Amino acid sequence: MNIAVCIKQVPDTETKVRVSGDKKWIEEGEINFILNPYDELAVEEGLKIAEAHSGEVTVLSLGPDRITSAIRSALAMGANKAIHIKTDKNPLDPMATAEALAQVLREGNYDLILLGKQAIDDDHQQIGPILSEKLGIPAANVVTKLEVSADKITAERQIEGGFEKIECALPAIVTTQRGLNEPRYASLKGIMAAKKIQIEEKIVTVPDDKIEILEINYPPEKPPGKIVGEGADAVPELIRLLKEEAKVIS
Amino acid sequence: MYESVDYYQLTNLLSEEEKLIQNTARQFVEDKFIPIITEYHRVGEFPVEIVKQLGELGFLGSTLPEEYGGAGLNNIAYGLIMQELERGDSGLRSFASVQGGLVIYPIYRFGSEEQKTKWLRSLISGYKIGCFGLTEPDFGSNPAGMKTTARKTSGGYRINGTKMWITNGSLADVAVVWAKLDDTIRGFLVEKGTPGFQVQTIKGKFSLRASDTAELVFDECEIPEENILPDTDGLKSPLKCLTQARYSIAWGTVGAAMACYDTALKYAQSRIQFDRPIAAYQLTQEKLVYMVTEITKAQLLNYHLAKLKDEQKMRSTHVSMAKRNNVEESLKIARMARSILGANGISDEYPVIRHMLNLETVSTYEGTHEIHTLILGEDITGIAAYY
Ligand SMILES: Cc1cc2nc3c(=O)[nH]c(=O)nc-3n(C[C@H](O)[C@H](O)[C@H](O)COP(=O)(O)OP(=O)(O)OC[C@H]3O[C@@H](n4cnc5c(N)ncnc54)[C@H](O)[C@@H]3O)c2cc1C
């Protein structure tokens, strides 16, 4: 089975992100970048399927030179090959990114394409569905359980208030959600072996962004808390405020 | 993921692999070890089920070449692993130091090809556990005086004597035991269950509680001929092992210090007394500045020591300096952190008191602080001051 996993490098969740001077992006200088946690699930799932069906896992990632460290993380987990997609400009629009990915994915004849349900930086949640449209193959999104056979997949996906079980033929796209698996740690041997794998580079022209970032802002500061009083006497007033002002209880 | 203190941006000096290795170790300690350590510390046990995971990830004997099951790491990567493990607990790092520096290393360095084949892979993968018996009840700082002896018999050797304070002693499948054979100190492999070999766990420790420490007693304990480490020759052989383990301590204790500093900094910023966070007071700031400065100095010392070791220019006295300094400063940092936390500083709700108590052991084992002072003193003056 020929499996592709699309991965993205994102800022570490513990990193304090600072908005850049022009408010169009963030200061990248001191940020610690990691492999997008949802993509980690996709890599893990790809490796498990490859182990069970004697397959091969190729990771693909689009972005500037710094993303090779995310690619190495995936290789260190056990992926077999990697493609670094280099572009003339850095797309901010998922439509443009998906187009660039699709160009490379078409060449690879993959049976299964896995990717995280979203990237934790821009949170668009669009790449999976757009790829499905562009490649003309089915997609199962936000998947928490996956079974793969030679020609089809059965996937369980979260929906409002329950689960949906769907089946589709391969080739297909699956976007991964927490709960699907527990990603393995990159072992030292894996890390040292990954060092020897040559990352293939592909240069792709991306279409123009159809969206424009006007401004990036911090969330508004939390208003200060209010102390209603002390001891049991304050409770009725607290309940009244929670009901009438905060409207968190009824 | 946890971001550690890196005031001088030393992470930028690391290669991609070194960063990945540090991340793996950090994530592992964060996910699998920190959540369980308090409970193990309370009952005074080493979480032995973690050993196989350490092996799977490659944290045991990681600098050994691949042909023996190692990962062929350089000494920066190895040091970083030790630092991350000790951020969890000195007991965890001690396990790895003993298994790697004091069991795997001597078998690799002084062992026969048969011994290497028999032991290295299973020790590196964590399927077998080892310990290192040098210290005796009457000979700690002065191991040259040891009383344990080995006597040649027709089929092998007969060992008599007692080893004290032996890390992993009760858990070990194999003990690397140092004994005098015709007045020369030699290393021997004694397997668990060998008749005449008894192990007694040491109880009542207030330090390194989440580590196994035992007394090993050898009473006419007969081992086969092939269990002598053929290339051992005198006290310098165990001392070479200690250099390896001391190197891991120099790195490890920085991890413990980082944990204490991080905890103290967060606490000082959020704890309000006299209407202001205690971090707003100059006395607290002085402590925090001391801590971050000493951590940074220790990191620099380690980084350069690793480079010397990789270039095979490192002398054992270089390691003595780093062990002596980094343990002492980590201990001071732990005590300062404890004071910043006030009453909470003595509670195991926070990791600080545990690290502080652990570091008392670390200051004593692998050559006490005083002994390293004397080693360095002799090195620079040319005059030995031990006796
Ligand atoms: C938890 C724990 C785990 C250990 N694990 C191991 C292990 O796995 N294997 C092993 O072999 N050993 C192990 N040890 C033993 C450790 O290495 C010894 O405790 C250490 O070498 C000191 O020996 P001692 O305790 O006999 O102290 P002593 O040598 O009696 O020293 C007592 C004090 O006197 C000082 N002193 C001694 N000589 C001099 C001198 N000439 N000048 C000035 N001061 C001096 C020392 O610095 C110390 O302060 C462990 C110890 C502990 C506590």
Side-chain angles (χ1 to χ4, degrees), chain A residues 12 14 72 182 185-186 188, chain B residues 1 16 24 31-32 57-58:
Chain A
D12 192 338
E14 296 273 316
R72 289 274 171 222
E182 198 189 325
Y185 297 99
L188 300 201
Chain B
M1 194 169 32
E16 221 162 57
T24 290
D31 298 346
K32 305 282 176 194
L57 289 170

Side-chain angles (χ1 to χ4, degrees), chain A residues 12-16 30 32-34 65-66 68-70 72-73 76 182 185-189 191-192 194-196 199, chain B residues 1-3 9 16-17 20-21 23-24 27-28 31-32 56-59 62 66 69-74 81 121 124:
Chain A
D12 192 338
T13 43
E14 296 273 316
T15 294
K16 284 197 189 70
E30 283 181 27
N32 183 30
F33 286 98
I34 58 166
D65 288 345
R66 62 165 158 79
T68 53
S69 70
R72 289 274 171 222
S73 307
E182 198 189 325
Y185 297 99
S187 74
L188 300 201
K189 274 187 206 144
I191 293 170
M192 299 312 272
K195 198 174 155 180
K196 294 180 195 133
I199 300 175
Chain B
M1 194 169 32
Y2 165 84
E3 280 199 42
Q9 297 165 21
E16 221 162 57
E17 289 78 43
L20 277 173
I21 289 165
N23 283 351
T24 290
Q27 200 67 54
F28 170 75
D31 298 346
K32 305 282 176 194
E56 263 166 39
L57 289 170
F59 293 168
S62 49
E66 283 168 35
L73 293 196
N74 69 15
I81 295 172
R121 277 185 187 276
I124 288 172

Side-chain angles (χ1 to χ4, degrees), chain B residues 132-135 140-141 164-167 208 213 361 364-366 368 370-371 374 386:
Chain B
F132 176 92
L134 179 67
T135 306
S141 298
M164 193 64 185
W165 300 110
I166 307 307
T167 303
L208 222 65
T213 318
T361 285
T364 289
Y365 71 14
E366 302 277 347
T368 65
E370 294 76 11
I371 291 298
L374 299 181
Y386 309 93

